[in-house]
Amino acid sequence: MGELVQLTSFGLTEGEVLGALGRVKVRDVDYADLYFESCVSESVSMEESLVKRATKSVSQGVGVRATAGEKTGFAYSDELTKKDLELAADTARYIANSPSGAHAVPVPVRQRPMRDLYPIERAQAEVATADRVSLLNAIDAEARRYDPRIKNVMASFNTEYKIVMVATSDGTLIGDVQPLSRLQVTCIAEENGQRQAGSFGGGGRVGFEFYHEGDRYLRYAREAAREAILNLSAVEAPAGVMPVVLGGGWPGILLHEAIGHGLEADFNRKKTSAFSHLLGKRVASDVCTIVDDGTLPGRRGSLNMDDEGTPTGRTVLIEHGILRGYITDKLNARLMGIPVTGNGRRESYKSVVLPRMTNTFMLAGTSDPEEIIRSVDRGLYAVSFGGGQVDITNGKFVFSASEAYLIEGGKVTRPVKGATLIGSGPEILTKVSMVGHDLKLDEGIGTCGKEGQSVPVGVGLPTIRIDEITVGGTQR
Amino acid sequence: MNQQIQRRDGYSQLALDLLAKAKRSGATEADIIIAEGETFSVQVRLGAVDRLTKAREKHLGLRVFVGKRSASTSTSDFSADSLNQLVAETCILAKAVVEDQVSGLPAADQMAGERPELDLYDPTRLNTEQQIELAKRVEAAAMSTDERVTNSEGGDFDSSSGRVVLSNSHGFLGEYQSSSFSMSVSPIATDPETGAMQRDSWYDVKRKFAKLDSPEAVGLEAARRTVRKLGARKVTTQRVPVVFDSEMAGSLMGNLCSAVSGYSLYKGASFLAGQLDKPLAPEYVTVYDDGRVVGGLGSRPFDGEGLPTRKTTVVERGVLKSYLLDTYSGRKLGLASTGNASRSVGENPSVGPTNFYLAPGTKTAQDIIKTVKQGLYVTDLIGFGINMVTGDYSRGAAGFWIEGGELAYPVEEITIAGNLKDMFAGIEMLGSDLVFRGRIASPTVKIAEMMVAGS
């Protein structure tokens, strides 16, 4: 197990925390919690073959929250004194319109998470700057060795070491240490005055040795260089409706945008999601089973507990095409009368908890990936993507390919320039006719934005065939 | 008032003390930024308070140079021990990276001297009840104008104020206060026949409370924008003229702004690298970045390095005349800073716009739509399908189909694609409707032709 988080890390006693919790949990407050966080983030970056930037940020604070019915009162402070806690408690409980005065809350049971998905000692997380620098230098050399047309290599290595402690009015006092790191490489290739970029990266809740396993960091460099060089010869992408084959891994961003957000409980409680009335109904073909799983060891989207102290779990969202469940936090689970799934997450102590995804992926099917490609006469084979976005109310979503090829006569032929794919969330998965046996999780680069809050997430997908989707290229 | 002055002197003194400490720890140059602020936001939903958030926060960023090496750090912990450790660590970190010949502070004689009065601060403080009332009014206005508006993602009213202190080892010490007030509402409309839902929103944001549009005006506009999307359908794939409404044309200015950022340019990561003094658009296109608009949301008396802000002509009569630069990216390109250093505490300076806008033309949006026989009027864009290295552009879109110069019906689930270079060169008409609701703004823009992909 990693270290046990103590309140003393935040310079507070249990009495002070219980006092503040009692002050906010007045009569009409259904639930209250205090979230303490201390976070150190570090970054080194390289460009023009020089590791010339290094940054380090330290932040610490507390978020105090009270919920009453549908209402949330929230205050946060970067000072952790008894006085600041009390002030935040008074602000948070304002929404309950209750008379003030301290109330007794159950003495919390001191807990540590029941599992440790990222057992990284602090010493492992504290990597000497010199080691980070040599990692980036090696990436630069590898990418330039890959092809002389690589003219610039930009790489950055970011780490975050977050210590959190949650005290709740339902009697929990629980802490977690959450390391996170990411290595990202972008290459610029140039030929005959034409320039193109390629990117690759990965990471997770892992130690520094992860990047050296099987020379993973050098593979990232080669993949970024390969994509940049490939795009130099890319032709214009087609426009219109056509069959699309998605490769495994990161193209799982389709699931995140097309259905994941639409199944977050807050939108469904408010009936603002295109999925609001579809529980128990068919929203995908019967070859599709999709889960959200926060319990995968070392993954970027994984957590021992969510930010309300609930253990994370594995939630079946879609089972053989039928919509089975939503992902929830405590507030929305209580208001909707459905189970808490351990998906209450927040960017930092400065943000309120929202139901968010962890690692979202489709389970493997039975088709042979090559057979899936052979089944398409004219279409697109997309293997890497940039970002995506969804309008949860009308269900329309987009995601943008950064590496894609034409399929002509059942064969992968020419690379095409990036294009945005657009579809409708409740419909798109009904058009999935083949699912490969090659489930792959992404490399660990995803960040999801919602209400201005960013949290790390994972996605995964086997090779799949979508019979029709609109491809936003420029060629008829 | 007295207390205020004391606190002010406190942060200036703190900055000076830390600069002195950094020098003693081996820094040859350094700068410090301290930002503090308070925010209060209210969200109501269906007439009841949904969320109240209140906070005060502060942050300090330190950048040191040890010769030609540099590092940046930040903290929210202002205790003496923590700050002493920060100074020491920053100097150690700087010694761990390589020398970068062009690094360093701006030249001492370039620092901002005169401080223009930009009127960025409004001392108005709204109490909790007042803010709740304003949020309720904006939502109520959106919900009550059309019975097809059936639900809401909420009405918001936010207020914030803050202060920035910047100091460097050249002896520069500057500070300014600013405030902002904003309101928004996101209504949801339901099609009475199909049950299909659409959401849209409208908003206003100003530095002065008194300058905000009325909640009723904002709510009404939100409802209008939402209800008009009901019954949207796809169109067939075709190449047509595309009219961007002023909000979406603003996003094109955002793309231009990224492409003229010095950092993208010297890395070869912008499609406008090497295009200075070359034609970008027709001669009626002029684009400015003006850091000194009185009351402007992007205005500030000095930039993130303490250089004076100014008005820069980015595109003059269709010709690309200037990039946006800070000291570092300017030196990389052999050019002087344009006073566009943007400094989020804890990061190295980067380049950001101040008030970046396309100068308006003379036509109303309606006049422009009238010139289109068959085409698209874009009111929504989603996704990130822009390759800044090549200018290739492909995004999800929604809006209205134009037939015979009139908006015929709403459309959705389509994409628009082209290349930003061709799109800027293909600007055919400009509206007169330039309104600032942020740092980047544009009037309505008509582009000659783009590929629309649908069914």
Side-chain angles (χ1 to χ4, degrees):
Chain A
M1 289 297 284
E3 67 182 286
L4 177 65
V5 180
Q6 306 277 6
L7 272 174
T8 47
S9 318
F10 299 97
L12 289 162
T13 65
E14 195 166 301
E16 285 167 333
V17 170
L18 284 184
L21 204 51
R23 199 176 171 110
V24 61
K25 174 74 182 74
V26 289
R27 197 187 59 221
D28 294 336
V29 165
D30 299 314
Y31 171 82
D33 61 18
L34 275 62
Y35 174 88
F36 299 91
E37 177 191 79
S38 137
C39 184
V40 178
S41 28
E42 293 177 87
S43 164
V44 285
S45 60
M46 178 205 60
E47 58 180 39
E48 301 176 313
S49 303
L50 302 175
V51 179
K52 55 190 180 187
R53 301 214 190 279
T55 64
K56 178 174 182 173
S57 272
V58 181
S59 73
Q60 170 172 296
V62 59
V64 180
R65 179 172 66 136
T67 65
E70 299 193 0
K71 294 183 283 191
T72 298
F74 178 60
Y76 61 88
S77 167
D78 50 27
E79 298 280 355
L80 292 174
T81 65
K82 182 163 177 283
K83 186 168 145 276
D84 289 291
L85 272 185
E86 287 173 358
L87 200 63
D90 291 346
T91 307
R93 67 141 198 264
Y94 178 90
I95 45 117
N97 292 323
S98 290
S100 62
H103 289 239
V105 290
V107 174
V109 183
R110 195 190 293 273
Q111 295 167 358
R112 64 162 79 193
M114 46 198 224
R115 54 179 166 251
D116 193 353
L117 300 170
Y118 25 87
I120 297 159
E121 299 300 326
R122 185 156 205 158
Q124 282 174 276
E126 284 176 349
V127 182
T129 308
D131 293 340
R132 301 170 198 237
V133 169
S134 44
L135 183 86
L136 296 183
N137 283 331
I139 284 171
D140 184 65
E142 183 77 2
R144 290 174 192 268
R145 192 180 308 131
Y146 181 85
D147 193 301
R149 289 172 287 175
I150 298 297
K151 296 299 180 203
N152 197 1
V153 183
M154 293 163 265
S156 60
F157 183 63
N158 296 288
T159 59
E160 182 181 287
Y161 197 80
K162 195 187 254 197
I163 300 173
V164 305
M165 183 117 211
V166 187
T168 72
S169 64
D170 50 18
T172 302
L173 181 63
I174 188 166
D176 193 22
V177 178
Q178 301 168 344
L180 183 69
S181 64
R182 175 175 160 170
L183 175 62
Q184 186 71 32
V185 186
T186 297
C187 291
I188 307 268
E190 198 174 325
E191 185 178 41
N192 303 327
Q194 292 275 67
R195 270 193 309 273
Q196 271 291 358
S199 290
F200 202 84
R205 301 195 182 278
V206 294
F208 192 61
E209 71 287 353
F210 172 84
Y211 301 95
H212 285 94
E213 287 164 10
D215 285 342
R216 201 174 248 126
Y217 67 114
L218 296 178
R219 180 168 64 86
Y220 292 179
R222 289 190 298 270
E223 282 295 309
R226 187 188 59 76
E227 189 178 288
I229 296 294
L230 180 86
N231 284 335
L232 283 175
S233 59
V235 299
E236 298 288 324
V241 175
M242 64 196 70
V244 170
V245 176
L246 297 180
W250 180 238
I253 185 174
L254 163 80
L255 309 176
H256 181 98
E257 302 299 349
I259 63 137
H261 279 297
L263 299 183
E264 289 166 342
D266 47 352
F267 300 126
N268 289 285
R269 170 172 65 80
K270 297 173 184 174
K271 303 209 182 314
T272 60
S273 165
F275 288 91
S276 293
H277 307 286
L278 297 177
L279 207 58
K281 303 244 168 71
R282 176 163 295 281
V283 295
S285 63
D286 60 9
V287 285
C288 296
T289 294
I290 296 162
V291 302
D292 183 82
D293 191 342
T295 70
L296 307 174
R299 285 276 153 192
R300 186 169 163 87
S302 297
L303 287 168
N304 292 324
M305 60 174 212
D306 73 0
D307 296 325
E308 298 179 309
T310 309
T312 52
R314 179 180 173 105
T315 307
V316 176
L317 304 176
I318 291 172
E319 189 177 23
H320 297 302
I322 308 298
L323 179 56
R324 289 295 179 209
Y326 298 127
I327 54 182
T328 65
D329 60 339
K330 284 181 179 173
L331 171 73
N332 288 290
R334 171 167 57 75
L335 292 170
M336 294 174 81
I338 58 176
V340 176
T341 59
N343 289 81
R345 302 185 64 187
R346 61 203 300 172
E347 179 180 294
S348 77
Y349 69 90
K350 299 179 185 180
S351 338
V352 293
V353 170
L354 299 171
R356 305 291 294 264
M357 285 171 262
T358 57
N359 304 294
T360 314
F361 52 95
M362 181 183 288
L363 301 191
T366 55
S367 297
D368 173 9
E370 288 178 18
E371 180 198 329
I372 296 176
I373 289 167
R374 272 201 303 276
S375 76
V376 176
D377 184 44
R378 181 183 176 272
L380 198 72
Y381 176 49
V383 296
S384 190
F385 283 84
Q389 196 178 347
V390 61
D391 176 333
I392 52 109
T393 301
N394 64 22
K396 303 298 179 273
F397 69 91
V398 295
F399 59 135
S400 300
S402 56
E403 180 182 344
Y405 305 81
L406 289 176
I407 304 178
E408 295 168 303
K411 289 199 173 65
V412 174
T413 59
R414 290 167 291 171
V416 296
K417 288 184 176 178
T420 287
L421 278 59
I422 188 163
S424 168
E427 288 167 22
I428 193 68
L429 294 180
T430 64
K431 296 172 182 166
V432 173
S433 57
M434 298 171 91
V435 175
H437 53 62
D438 57 340
L439 169 64
K440 220 172 97 186
L441 298 176
D442 77 294
E443 300 274 348
I445 53 164
T447 297
C448 168
K450 176 176 173 182
E451 292 191 24
Q453 292 192 45
S454 295
V455 298
V457 294
V459 296
L461 193 72
T463 299
I464 64 169
R465 177 189 154 126
I466 301 170
D467 289 341
E468 51 173 45
I469 186 167
T470 300
V471 176
T474 52
Q475 293 301 300
R476 295 300 295 271
Chain B
M1 196 64 203
N2 265 336
Q3 202 184 354
Q4 183 100 356
I5 288 164
Q6 259 178 17
R7 203 156 46 86
R8 231 172 248 203
D9 288 348
Y11 279 167
S12 301
Q13 193 56 49
L14 179 65
L16 296 174
D17 289 349
L18 291 175
L19 286 171
K21 275 202 182 91
K23 285 232 155 184
R24 286 199 297 277
S25 304
T28 48
E29 292 186 325
D31 67 3
I32 281 183
I33 185 166
I34 301 175
E36 65 162 351
E38 52 185 50
T39 62
F40 180 36
S41 65
V42 173
Q43 181 171 66
V44 303
R45 187 172 169 266
L46 304 179
V49 175
D50 198 56
R51 191 185 296 166
L52 286 182
T53 303
K54 209 168 201 174
R56 291 188 63 87
E57 51 191 319
K58 60 186 182 351
H59 221 71
L60 179 149
L62 170 67
R63 178 170 64 145
V64 307
F65 299 88
V66 179
K68 293 290 179 189
R69 304 167 198 264
S70 97
S72 299
T73 54
S74 75
T75 185
S76 61
D77 183 353
F78 283 21
S79 66
D81 282 354
S82 159
L83 292 175
N84 286 338
Q85 197 188 338
L86 187 81
V87 171
E89 280 184 359
T90 314
C91 292
I92 291 169
L93 206 54
K95 289 167 193 163
V97 299
V98 300
E99 290 197 343
D100 183 357
Q101 288 314 315
V102 305
S103 79
L105 293 178
D109 61 358
Q110 304 289 306
M111 305 310 302
E114 42 84 50
R115 304 288 155 78
E117 184 37 68
L118 296 174
D119 209 15
L120 306 178
Y121 182 71
D122 178 354
T124 304
R125 287 290 175 277
L126 301 169
N127 65 34
T128 307
E129 296 308 325
Q130 287 171 312
Q131 264 193 227
I132 291 173
E133 185 58 26
L134 287 159
K136 282 185 175 170
R137 274 170 62 191
V138 69
E139 193 197 38
M143 300 284 300
S144 61
T145 58
D146 191 308
E147 60 189 20
R148 291 170 294 175
V149 176
T150 52
N151 198 347
S152 158
E153 280 202 338
D156 287 85
F157 195 97
D158 296 354
S159 59
S160 66
S161 64
R163 187 162 72 95
V164 172
V165 176
L166 180 71
S167 181
N168 71 21
S169 54
H170 289 330
F172 175 82
L173 178 64
E175 72 160 272
Y176 60 89
Q177 269 184 297
S178 63
S179 56
S180 113
F181 298 84
S182 65
M183 87 181 112
S184 65
V185 58
S186 303
I188 288 170
T190 307
D191 190 316
E193 277 155 38
T194 64
M197 294 188 292
Q198 293 286 356
R199 176 181 56 91
D200 209 324
S201 61
W202 194 239
Y203 66 104
D204 193 24
V205 49
K206 292 283 183 332
R207 293 217 176 268
K208 303 271 179 167
F209 176 64
K211 294 258 172 77
L212 274 180
D213 289 348
S214 77
E216 285 68 29
V218 172
L220 218 61
E221 177 61 10
R224 186 186 75 84
R225 295 177 71 93
T226 307
V227 168
R228 68 179 182 170
K229 292 167 84 169
L230 291 174
R233 46 183 139 138
K234 288 179 87 162
V235 284
T236 54
T237 302
Q238 56 193 297
R239 209 174 273 282
V240 286
V242 176
V243 179
F244 288 74
D245 79 359
S246 58
E247 288 281 304
M248 295 306 112
S251 80
L252 294 179
M253 285 302 106
N255 301 148
L256 177 62
C257 192
S258 307
V260 298
S261 155
Y263 284 87
S264 308
L265 290 157
Y266 84 74
K267 292 174 185 176
S270 164
F271 65 93
L272 291 180
Q275 296 296 306
L276 213 53
D277 293 321
K278 295 192 178 151
L280 173 78
E283 49 91 25
Y284 41 82
V285 172
T286 292
V287 177
Y288 297 107
D289 180 72
D290 187 353
R292 299 240 163 146
V293 176
V294 172
L297 288 160
S299 300
R300 53 203 179 208
F302 50 84
D303 78 352
E305 294 180 293
L307 294 177
T309 48
R310 62 179 205 184
K311 182 170 181 175
T312 301
T313 306
V314 177
V315 177
E316 186 173 25
R317 298 173 56 79
V319 177
L320 181 61
K321 294 305 283 186
S322 179
Y323 296 142
L324 298 186
L325 305 165
D326 65 352
T327 300
Y328 184 84
S329 60
R331 284 177 186 159
K332 293 296 287 186
L333 292 162
L335 298 163
S337 169
T338 56
N340 284 92
S342 144
R343 184 92 176 261
S344 64
V345 175
E347 302 285 330
N348 283 293
S350 61
V351 161
T354 57
N355 302 289
F356 188 92
Y357 64 99
L358 175 55
T362 53
K363 301 277 194 287
T364 65
Q366 207 180 5
D367 290 341
I368 294 174
I369 291 164
K370 270 205 186 101
T371 65
V372 179
K373 282 203 187 86
Q374 181 96 305
L376 178 67
Y377 179 58
V378 180
T379 60
D380 278 285
L381 287 166
I382 60 171
F384 308 93
I386 303 172
N387 182 337
M388 291 307 294
V389 179
T390 59
D392 288 333
Y393 184 101
S394 169
R395 297 189 72 186
F400 294 84
W401 199 247
I402 307 173
E403 272 175 5
E406 305 275 340
L407 299 185
Y409 51 86
V411 293
E412 65 179 3
E413 206 179 326
I414 56 173
T415 60
I416 55 173
N419 184 285
L420 284 168
K421 267 192 255 186
D422 302 330
M423 289 161 66
F424 291 129
I427 292 176
E428 278 193 348
M429 294 177 91
L430 297 179
S432 55
D433 50 349
L434 176 74
V435 178
F436 277 93
R437 282 194 176 78
R439 301 152 70 93
I440 300 179
S442 172
T444 299
V445 165
K446 178 187 173 191
I447 289 176
E449 201 177 64
M450 292 183 74
M451 178 59 92
V452 174
S455 53

